[in-house]
Amino acid sequence: MKIFVDSANLDEIEDALKRGFPAGVTTNPSIMSKEKRTDFGLHIRQIIELLQRYECAIPLSVEVFSLEPREMVRQALEFREQFGDYPGLNIKVPIGWNELAVIRELKKQGMRVNCTCCMSLNQAVMAAGAGADFVSLFYGRIRDIGYDAFSVVQRTHQVFREGGISSEIIVGSIRHIHDVNDALLAGANIVTVPPKFFPQLVSHPKTDEAVNQFIDDFRNWQEH
Ligand code: E4P
């Protein structure tokens, strides 16, 4: 079970890297757009330099920003040109009929692919069939239109396991810390989490109570 950082913010990524738990980083064009306007390539390079500074070679998903398949391939090859020195680079391509051919082409070119924006078992199966190394299911968005996101992840995990499909299931679109637990329980290999949730993932009122009690008891013992 792995936790990825769902952010392009250098400070947020570094705060997580300092704590050792990130097994990867995912970005997307909307996540990038939250950053101060800058050169796209320069910003991705800064993320890579940060990962290298923390001696990481963990997966970094960089998403194409076109709707046109030929342009997607061109962008992906450009990403390889620019960032291919980073061993964890993978290209995010949204699921779609024409995008399956993009995924196949990128795999033929030796690239790792994260097929994103998946909302259903069938989309995940098709993405895996095209060769995607990761399939990203969007938990929050699946639930937004009333579908049972837990069941989609659980069934995808079951079909992948029983079908011997090696693609890893990333669950993103996390809207609450319960989504993290639920996604892992449903069988996600990876949950990619917005950094705002990280402190919540390690917090609990009974933990605070216990820790404070221990310190108080120790102090009282030492002082009396
Ligand atoms: C994963 O990397 C996805 O791009 C991301 O989690 C999507 O989140 P959203 O549905 O809140 O945009």
Side-chain angles (χ1 to χ4, degrees):
M1 299 304 117
K2 292 173 272 189
I3 298 291
F4 281 19
V5 181
D6 202 18
S7 173
N9 181 277
L10 296 171
D11 293 335
E12 290 177 344
I13 294 170
E14 183 160 22
D15 275 351
L17 290 173
K18 283 176 182 169
R19 291 160 173 83
F21 62 85
V25 176
T26 49
T27 69
N28 68 37
S30 294
I31 285 174
M32 292 295 296
S33 73
K34 291 174 185 167
E35 298 309 304
K36 180 172 164 295
R37 186 185 168 89
T38 180
D39 175 79
F40 172 82
L42 177 64
H43 193 85
I44 297 296
R45 175 53 61 183
Q46 288 174 322
I47 294 175
I48 289 173
E49 286 170 353
L50 181 58
L51 293 171
Q52 291 170 328
R53 212 157 56 238
Y54 280 82
E55 297 167 353
C56 291
I58 56 179
L60 167 63
S61 289
V62 180
E63 186 159 348
V64 294
F65 42 84
S66 171
L67 297 174
E68 206 285 307
R70 280 192 305 275
E71 174 60 11
M72 288 180 184
V73 171
R74 191 200 65 76
Q75 286 179 5
L77 294 176
E78 190 175 300
F79 294 167
R80 179 170 62 180
E81 194 65 34
Q82 288 180 285
F83 318 122
D85 59 299
Y86 182 68
L89 178 70
N90 61 84
I91 309 301
K92 254 188 178 182
V93 177
I95 184 65
W97 179 241
N98 294 325
E99 287 77 356
L100 294 178
V102 172
I103 294 169
R104 179 176 177 275
E105 177 58 26
L106 298 186
K107 291 305 294 173
K108 276 174 59 183
Q109 298 266 353
M111 302 173 85
R112 286 175 64 76
V113 176
N114 175 357
C115 182
T116 190
C117 300
C118 293
M119 309 293 169
S120 64
L121 163 60
N122 46 278
Q123 285 179 316
V125 167
M126 294 297 278
D133 302 275
F134 304 98
V135 296
S136 290
L137 288 166
F138 280 31
Y139 209 82
R141 292 185 190 241
I142 293 169
R143 194 172 45 205
D144 284 348
I145 59 168
Y147 283 83
D148 176 358
F150 185 95
S151 168
V152 171
V153 177
Q154 190 176 49
R155 291 185 301 155
T156 302
H157 168 71
Q158 180 189 346
V159 166
F160 276 28
R161 189 188 59 226
E162 292 172 0
I165 296 175
S166 61
S167 307
E168 290 191 272
I169 301 167
I170 298 177
V171 171
S173 193
I174 297 299
R175 305 279 173 78
H176 195 285
I177 62 167
H178 294 313
D179 295 343
V180 177
N181 294 336
D182 289 346
L184 292 172
L185 287 168
N189 301 101
I190 299 159
V191 186
T192 192
V193 183
K196 68 181 178 183
F197 292 121
F198 289 144
Q200 294 178 50
L201 287 174
V202 293
S203 305
H204 194 288
K206 295 299 281 183
T207 299
D208 297 341
E209 175 193 272
V211 170
N212 289 323
Q213 178 201 319
F214 295 164
I215 299 302
D216 289 347
D217 290 349
F218 189 85
R219 281 205 187 111
N220 289 332
W221 172 59
Q222 289 295 300
E223 288 160 11
H224 299 100

